[in-house]
Amino acid sequence: MNIRILGCSGGIGAGLRTTAIRVDEDILIDTGTGVGDLTLDEMRAIRHVFMTHSHLDHAVGLPLLLDTVFEARSSDPLLVHGRVETLDALRKHIFNWVLWPDFSVLPSPEAAVMRFQEMQVGGSVELGGRRITAVDVNHTVPGLAYIVEGNGKVFAFSGDTGPNRTLWQALNELPRLDVLVVETAFANRNLQLANESRHYCPDTLAADLGTLRHDPDIWLTHLKPGAEDEILGEVRAALPGRRLQRLVGGETFTL
Ligand SMILES: [Zn+2]
């Protein structure tokens, strides 16, 4: 498996892109502004999108991606996977003919370039030797983490979440965990804001990550622009025994 980080910032700015992760050549997890780093051919090769949740920093690239690959997908739709609340939000608030055309009925309902595929919490999708499993998390809108298993290795991405038991329980039930990308949106001085917006800050992440029985490479993501070094320093201080780094974008992991 090849994991490529296209976007990993909690905001935008020169050199900063929001959440998008490519798995091999055909799968995207989230479609933040990082999608814009793919070449046209790379965009045409995307067959599946797995949405963690509906928030704009994770979804804004999807309508633009579809517009860009429209001809390539006209005989072979892009499948957009997510929990029902996420897919409903995309239909209602993005593909509503006001913000963007409804690509789930274009060029015709029978041969649309996009199809929605509902995922159940705890459900899995098998795609060419890779299994993607949806795990419930704790965000201000219904959200998912994804566990990706392939080639005997395991990659997990938290999506957006505050403190929860579901993700850590699911990770502890895995036979192994090689790479974990986990969000830490805020520094400890923003603890209240982190809790209200259901994101992690270093102290709350450390409390949950302390229960993890695996020892993966851990990469922090979704850090607020300007607070990256502060957040990484606080997480490292709280979890001195863990292998911790922060994503900056452009990383690839071969598993
Ligand atoms: Zn969010």
Side-chain angles (χ1 to χ4, degrees), residues 53-58 139-141 160 183 197 199 222:
H53 65 299
S54 58
H55 279 158
L56 202 57
D57 53 335
H58 299 250
H139 199 38
T140 51
V141 294
D160 281 10
E183 77 121 287
S197 58
H199 283 289
H222 212 296

Side-chain angles (χ1 to χ4, degrees), residues 188-209:
N188 280 329
R189 61 190 157 82
N190 293 126
L191 170 67
Q192 188 180 347
L193 178 58
N195 285 337
E196 285 171 356
S197 58
R198 299 200 195 178
H199 283 289
Y200 276 122
C201 69
D203 280 351
T204 54
L205 176 68
D208 281 2
L209 217 157

